[in-house]
Amino acid sequence: MYAELISPERVAFQGEVKLVVLPGVEGDMTILPGHAPLVTVLRAGMIFAMDAHGQPRRAFTLHGIAEVTTTKVTILSDRVLTVEELTKDRIHQEITYLRISQDKAESESARAQIDYTISQLEEFLASMDI
């Protein structure tokens, strides 16, 4: 199965994978080759993939959409940070960016989504201290 993770700035990952785990708005979902086609909205969280060589690939998405076919997973995300990019300083920068965005948000649901995203980043940040 082929997977690609795309943001406006770059292609964060593309290649053959054995599986992909997506943070769907209704819960995490595991995608295996031959999965039924679907399109889903993604919430803030970790995307996990096992590449064809058995190496794990992880990235944090703020939100996005995923299109799944029987042979391909395409993930489009506004913002993607690979695990290698998730330093404490970078997470603090993202949280600051999100708080500014939250102040400008026009709806309560948008503010709630940003609040959830901040909590996900803070949770990941706390796990780095373990």
Side-chain angles (χ1 to χ4, degrees):
M1 176 172 67
Y2 189 81
E4 53 190 356
L5 175 55
I6 303 167
S7 72
E9 298 89 30
R10 64 192 167 132
V11 176
F13 173 79
Q14 62 183 356
E16 292 295 321
V17 296
K18 295 178 181 181
L19 67 90
V20 178
V21 179
L22 300 172
V25 292
E26 295 183 15
D28 290 352
M29 63 180 74
T30 301
I31 309 298
L32 298 168
H35 195 286
L38 65 88
V39 174
T40 189
V41 177
L42 304 177
R43 62 175 165 71
M46 278 292 179
I47 296 170
F48 174 84
M50 183 69 66
D51 73 17
H53 305 289
Q55 295 297 313
R57 305 293 299 257
R58 295 187 310 157
F60 187 86
T61 179
L62 294 181
H63 52 64
I65 61 168
E67 178 185 22
V68 176
T69 69
T70 58
T71 60
K72 185 175 181 182
V73 178
T74 302
I75 303 160
L76 303 176
S77 177
D78 288 346
R79 263 168 117 73
V80 174
L81 297 170
T82 63
V83 169
E84 297 79 20
E85 297 168 326
L86 284 173
T87 64
K88 289 181 181 185
D89 288 341
R90 183 66 188 262
I91 293 171
H92 285 296
Q93 289 173 358
E94 290 298 319
I95 290 171
T96 299
Y97 166 81
L98 288 166
R99 289 191 199 283
I100 292 167
S101 298
Q102 191 173 35
D103 291 341
K104 296 177 182 178
E106 295 183 13
S107 70
E108 188 59 37
S109 65
R111 285 187 289 278
Q113 179 63 35
I114 293 169
D115 193 48
Y116 176 78
T117 303
I118 291 170
S119 71
Q120 290 291 100
L121 284 169
E122 289 173 337
E123 183 178 310
F124 187 81
L125 186 62
S127 75
M128 294 176 82
D129 291 331
I130 295 176

